Amino acid sequence: MKTKFVLNDVVCADSKTLSKLIKLNSVALTVTSPPYGNAINYSQHVKNLKSGKGKEFRGNVGGTLDDYLNEMQEIFSEVKKVTMPGGFCCIVIADELSEGTLVPLPSLLVSKLVDLKDEDEGWHLRDMIIWNKVTAGRSGAGNRFGQFVKIPVPTRYRANIMHEYIIVLQKGKKARFLLKETEPKVPLNRAMKRQVALSVWDITPVPPNAVKHPAVFPEQIPWRLIQMYTKPGDVVLDPMCGSGQTVKVANSLKRKYIGVDIRKEYVSLAKKRAKEKMMLSNFMIPLYFPVKWVDGVQSGKKSDAHIDVEDHIPKGFKIIFQKLSKDSENGTDTTHIYYKNKSGDYICCIIGASQEPYMMKLGNPKKASSPLKKILSKLPDTFDLLDVKSILPDGIPDDPYSLVSLVDVLEYEKNVKRKTRSLTKVVYEKSPRSKK
Ligand SMILES: C[S@@+](CC[C@H](N)C(=O)[O-])C[C@H]1O[C@@H](n2cnc3c(N)ncnc32)[C@H](O)[C@@H]1O
């Protein structure tokens, strides 16, 4: 009887048996993240899901480091069997924190897996990417530096851990090679180039509890790797797929997918999520804004925000000015970037700290059909943002950030003048020209 191999599906199995489920030499790329040693007790997490209780599931698995590494070696030698010659395997993994010191799981795993002698079939190390988690590492157990700040005595220094690793392995010395004449190109816009040119990638982590799995990596990771190492129609595997981020992104990018997890609760979750849309915004590289921006601590430059959105600005629009509005209570900043075309139409791109960027068409304040003109005609002589809110035309969101951007443009066009500004209230008056 012909064996029925898994394809475009997520199945419940132990990945130490992968070669029984998946056609040998068929997978172009694996993107996966194994358990990080003893860091998470997945069985306890699944029990919590069922009981609704919140029992601690971190850092209490048991088992020796050798057992762990041997299990990983078994799984990744199965991955190798199902990977095509020259295919790739990307493993997302971090050092494990154990009673104050680090267990270097990525290095230990690499030395266990890499086999330079076997030029045809051995895993070769192609890249070691650092995933800079941008916002992570400053609270809870990750806040090691906080302890040092309390007692800044020599020998007590420990850094906050802000990064993980993406180990990129290839099967055999010779990587798979696609012809430039016939193959689709990786969509490299400016933002993408800037991000992937270097071996340090800035990607914000998935917020806790956003998905019913305790160790979800952001879609941005498989999204980049799948585009770098495969073409549409290729098979992408995640042998420890958890919530199914890899299979979901692979499916969206028109690759075939295979997901495997040992726990049936995660398999049902991943099966469902494989068909869902990606959460990535339309923007090529979602911005790496932390919820709280602390100058000098964060990496990435907020002033560069426009580079990330530039490719999505309609043709003919040029950046005119940029402003920052501050929410002092939450410590968050929102950037407003204003673009204008030759006919005088404005659009505003609003890049907040906690939401995805959004764009508003504001029209031309000199044309009667423009929201700006309509607002201006209805405004009292002296007004604040609440007055603007009460006369908004349809289709303009009434959050404070949108309101600020409307008035910013009116101010820029000299239709109104800022009268006073305090942290809580901004008051404007119509300029004499616009009163006529
Ligand atoms: C770090 S999580 C993966 C999370 C996933 N990358 C995501 O974004 O949701 C590791 C997963 O490996 C699964 N796992 C552990 N040992 C396994 C094995 N031998 N075979 C298959 N899955 C396994 C666990 O159940 C867990 O869901």
Side-chain angles (χ1 to χ4, degrees), residues 55-127:
K55 226 170 152 190
E56 184 54 53
F57 57 83
R58 292 183 192 274
N60 52 358
V61 187
T64 68
L65 181 59
D66 274 347
D67 290 345
Y68 170 76
L69 291 170
N70 289 336
E71 187 183 1
M72 289 303 119
Q73 191 175 33
E74 259 187 82
I75 292 179
F76 287 104
S77 72
E78 285 291 292
V79 171
K80 200 167 60 182
K81 286 184 199 163
V82 299
T83 300
M84 60 174 58
F88 303 94
C89 172
C90 303
I91 308 171
V92 181
I93 187 164
D95 297 319
E96 190 189 356
L97 196 54
S98 171
E99 292 167 5
T101 58
L102 295 176
V103 184
L105 296 181
S107 330
L108 293 170
L109 192 58
V110 166
S111 64
K112 198 95 180 158
L113 299 184
V114 165
D115 178 6
L116 298 177
K117 281 196 220 105
D118 185 349
E119 296 196 352
D120 297 326
E121 304 252 299
W123 284 128
H124 284 56
L125 183 62
R126 180 178 172 109
D127 259 311

Side-chain angles (χ1 to χ4, degrees), residues 14-15 33 42 213 215-217 240 243 245 261-263 266:
D14 185 334
S15 279
S33 167
Y42 292 99
H213 189 283
V216 179
F217 57 42
M240 289 167 274
S243 70
Q245 295 289 74
D261 202 285
I262 202 162
R263 291 182 177 81
Y266 298 151

Side-chain angles (χ1 to χ4, degrees), residues 160-321:
N160 287 348
I161 298 170
M162 297 286 292
H163 68 284
E164 298 199 8
Y165 298 83
I166 306 173
I167 303 167
V168 183
L169 301 171
Q170 86 191 22
K171 180 173 164 180
K173 195 174 175 194
K174 238 166 94 191
R176 182 181 180 213
F177 187 72
L178 298 180
L179 288 178
K180 68 172 187 228
E181 291 76 17
T182 49
E183 300 301 343
K185 307 282 175 294
V186 178
L188 276 181
N189 68 3
R190 212 162 121 196
M192 178 90 153
K193 272 191 207 154
R194 197 182 53 152
Q195 271 292 302
V196 297
L198 308 176
S199 60
V200 178
W201 290 1
D202 303 318
I203 303 174
T204 43
V206 176
N209 304 324
V211 181
K212 285 187 176 160
H213 189 283
V216 179
F217 57 42
E219 290 175 6
Q220 186 67 220
I221 290 181
W223 189 80
R224 291 184 190 191
L225 295 168
I226 289 171
Q227 301 202 70
M228 295 303 152
Y229 295 114
T230 67
K231 59 177 181 169
D234 278 346
V235 179
V236 175
L237 163 70
D238 188 342
M240 289 167 274
C241 70
S243 70
Q245 295 289 74
T246 299
V247 292
K248 178 177 166 186
V249 177
N251 191 29
S252 300
L253 293 174
K254 302 201 167 27
R255 273 63 170 175
K256 297 185 185 103
Y257 64 88
I258 303 170
V260 181
D261 202 285
I262 202 162
R263 291 182 177 81
K264 62 178 189 314
E265 291 76 9
Y266 298 151
V267 170
S268 335
L269 179 66
K271 248 185 204 290
K272 191 167 135 264
R273 296 183 76 248
K275 302 276 176 334
E276 286 175 6
K277 275 201 180 145
M278 282 190 287
M279 295 284 286
L280 290 172
S281 64
N282 288 329
F283 296 87
M284 193 68 166
I285 301 290
L287 298 158
Y288 41 89
F289 282 0
V291 172
K292 289 196 178 193
W293 189 268
V294 185
D295 280 330
V297 175
Q298 305 298 352
S299 69
K301 291 198 191 87
K302 198 158 191 180
S303 51
D304 282 347
H306 67 276
I307 295 175
D308 289 328
V309 295
E310 220 162 53
D311 286 345
H312 303 272
I313 302 300
K315 266 204 179 125
F317 280 85
K318 292 235 156 53
I319 184 165
I320 301 291
F321 67 104

